[in-house]
Every structure is written in structure tokens, then in C-alpha cells.
């Protein structure tokens, strides 16, 4: 089942305890972010209200004792979009209460048993695949109808190899 608009928002907001995302794309080409990315690349300062709507949602989840997190897969050198995320996006998301970790696969000479597809998992029971074109443009969100067991295992593997965002950034300075 494809999820758009209010259907997507309803599925997302209905999680009871845990929402977790696996982010594997090197770039996300999102129309609503285009101007922000361009401003970042021009070296302009980050607007004080950058990503405010998402931060408000995250604070609401956390206040309701719901956990939200993600693992961001990267390979150095970071793409322009990843540099934008690291500078303008992720720090504010963390300040709002999101647990964000980085899985750097640059020097990985072992194959982690992970997928290259992005997805959200809610309460370890519902999974939504995020489908993208090669340029990072999202095509669709699709409710996964199968057993979430493989996704739970991918989450375990990703979390066990990822490091907290602040730790990753500090080690790269």
C-alpha cells in the first residue's frame, strides 16, 4: 500500500514507543529543502527556524515518552547533501530529542548484512519502505506487508556498528 499525505502522517504518528529510520541514500533531492541546501552551499548562515516543524514534532514524541532515532549511512568524502545535513539538519534534530547515529562504511572491508533501501520502522512491527530515484528524489512510501523480522535484524546490525553523531563528528575534526 502506497502512503501519501495524511495516510503517511497517520501511520507515522501512530507509533506507540519507537520510530526508527535507516538512511542509506548519499543524497536526498527534496523540493522543500532545495533553497536551504543552496543557502548552505553559498555559505549563508542557517536560519534560526530551520526545520522547526520537525523539531516540534520530535519534542512532542519525546514529551509523550516515545523514542525516535535513525542511523545515517555515509561514505567519505561526504556528499554536499550530507555536509548540509551534518551542519544544518542533524544538530537541531538531536537538540529536539532525536537519537541520530552515523554508520561510516568508507573503510569497511567486511560486508555488513544491510539493505541499501531507506525505511522507517515503527514499534518493531510496521515498516514503511522509502523508494528513491538514483538522484535522491523520493518516488513513494510503501507500507511493507511482510514479516518485519529482517528489518529488526538490520536495525540491530546498524545500531551495533554506528556511533552517536557527536562522537562521529568529533573524531573527524
Amino acid at each position: 500500500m502506497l502512503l501519501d499525505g495524511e495516510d503517511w502522517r497517520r501511520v507515522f504518528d501512530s507509533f506507540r514507543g519507537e520510530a526508527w529510520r535507516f538512511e542509506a541514500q548519499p543524497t536526498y533531492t527534496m523540493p522543500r529543502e532545495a533553497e536551504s541546501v543552496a543557502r548552505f552551499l553559498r555559505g549563508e548562515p542557517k536560519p534560526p527556524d530551520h526545520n522547526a516543524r520537525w523539531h516540534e514534532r520530535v519534542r512532542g514524541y519525546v514529551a509523550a515518552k516515545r523514542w525516535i532515532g535513525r542511523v545515517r549511512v555515509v561514505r567519505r568524502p561526504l556528499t554536499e547533501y550530507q555536509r548540509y545535513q551534518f551542519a544544518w539538519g542533524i544538530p537541531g534534530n538531536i537538540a529536539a530529542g532525536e537519537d541520530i547515529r552515523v554508520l561510516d562504511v568508507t573503510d569497511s572491508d567486511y560486508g555488513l548484512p544491510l539493505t541499501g533501501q531507506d525505511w522507517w520502522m515503527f514499534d518493531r512491527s510496521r515498516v514503511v519502505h522509502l523508494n528513491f530515484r538514483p538522484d535522491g528524489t523520493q518516488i513513494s512510501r510503501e507500507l511493507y506487508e511482510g514479516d518485519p523480522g529482517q528489518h529488526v535484524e538490520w536495525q540491530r546490525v546498524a545500531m551495533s556498528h554506528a556511533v552517536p553523531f557527536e562522537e562521529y563528528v568529533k573524531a573527524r575534526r
Side-chain angles (χ1 to χ4, degrees):
M1 170 197 306
L2 294 180
L3 299 171
D4 272 330
E6 284 305 309
D7 289 335
W8 167 235
R9 179 77 183 244
R10 228 179 341 273
V11 166
F12 195 105
D13 287 340
S14 69
F15 78 93
R16 294 176 185 215
E18 177 182 307
W20 189 82
R21 180 166 176 185
F22 183 75
E23 285 187 319
Q25 306 309 306
T27 298
Y28 296 97
T29 305
M30 303 176 61
R32 71 177 189 273
E33 286 186 333
E35 183 54 33
S36 290
V37 173
R39 290 175 71 180
F40 166 77
L41 293 174
R42 289 192 301 262
E44 295 178 19
K46 179 174 78 170
D49 64 344
H50 179 74
N51 218 9
R53 287 179 51 211
W54 177 249
H55 298 159
E56 183 178 327
R57 286 179 71 189
V58 170
R59 283 191 294 274
Y61 300 139
V62 172
K65 307 279 190 252
R66 297 192 286 171
W67 182 87
I68 186 164
R70 67 182 77 204
V71 165
R72 179 71 173 103
V73 177
V74 299
R75 183 179 302 274
R76 292 182 315 264
L78 298 179
T79 65
E80 289 180 339
Y81 185 83
Q82 288 167 337
R83 289 189 306 106
Y84 158 74
Q85 274 190 321
F86 276 42
W88 281 27
I90 294 174
N93 294 0
I94 291 171
E98 193 173 351
D99 178 355
I100 301 178
R101 297 166 187 261
V102 178
L103 176 58
D104 189 327
V105 297
T106 304
D107 300 322
S108 177
D109 58 359
Y110 54 92
L112 292 176
L114 295 169
T115 179
Q117 178 166 26
D118 284 39
W119 43 277
W120 277 99
M121 182 167 54
F122 304 99
D123 301 319
R124 296 186 180 199
S125 61
R126 285 175 299 138
V127 174
V128 175
H129 287 170
L130 308 176
N131 303 307
F132 293 90
R133 291 187 183 101
D135 73 351
T137 303
Q138 190 173 61
I139 300 167
S140 64
R141 296 177 204 96
E142 185 175 2
L143 185 63
Y144 177 70
E145 304 287 344
D147 179 352
Q150 181 63 65
H151 293 82
V152 171
E153 176 60 12
W154 285 331
Q155 178 192 30
R156 186 196 66 72
V157 170
M159 291 290 284
S160 69
H161 287 87
V163 298
F165 174 76
E166 296 93 344
E167 183 180 321
Y168 180 80
V169 170
K170 186 177 179 182
R172 298 289 169 249
R173 286 186 182 144

